[in-house]
Amino acid sequence: VVAVSTEWCVTINGHFSKHWMEVLAEGEEACESIQFVAGLALRNEDQVVVSYGINDCESDLLPLPIKKVLGMLRPVNSNLNVSLDDLEMI
């Protein structure tokens, strides 16, 4: 692990979250209750695709601008890991 982000919200969109979408007020948003990002893949030079789990029973893909993702990351200091300075950034 060379970097982590703070907590962030994936707006509810899972099959098991449909009930909650119906009870929200117009314009109100909510996060999935359990989210786990499992993968990150480069889609093109400007975008990545995040694969994530929803409520431990579904999965989805979320395309994001690479600049947004890189801006969310914070380096982790550890003698066990490589440094972000040692990596070639895209």
Side-chain angles (χ1 to χ4, degrees):
V1 176
V2 296
V4 296
S5 74
T6 57
E7 184 177 352
W8 52 292
C9 171
V10 174
T11 304
I12 59 173
N13 69 342
H15 174 75
F16 294 101
S17 303
K18 288 186 190 275
H19 165 75
W20 298 111
M21 287 185 273
E22 295 169 1
V23 299
L24 292 174
E26 186 175 335
E28 186 179 12
E29 293 182 349
C31 304
E32 291 290 0
S33 60
I34 300 172
Q35 306 169 73
F36 176 80
V37 173
L40 185 68
L42 187 62
R43 186 176 197 176
N44 56 45
E45 63 184 36
D46 299 322
Q47 194 175 59
V48 295
V49 177
V50 176
S51 63
Y52 66 99
I54 304 169
N55 296 325
D56 291 340
C57 52
E58 299 179 73
S59 61
D60 205 353
L61 299 173
L62 177 65
L64 291 170
I66 194 167
K67 287 183 180 182
K68 180 173 184 87
V69 172
L70 291 175
M72 293 167 55
L73 296 177
R74 301 294 174 258
V76 173
N77 294 323
S78 171
N79 293 331
L80 301 175
N81 296 325
V82 297
S83 163
L84 284 179
D85 295 331
D86 297 333
L87 299 177
E88 180 182 337
M89 298 305 282
I90 299 172

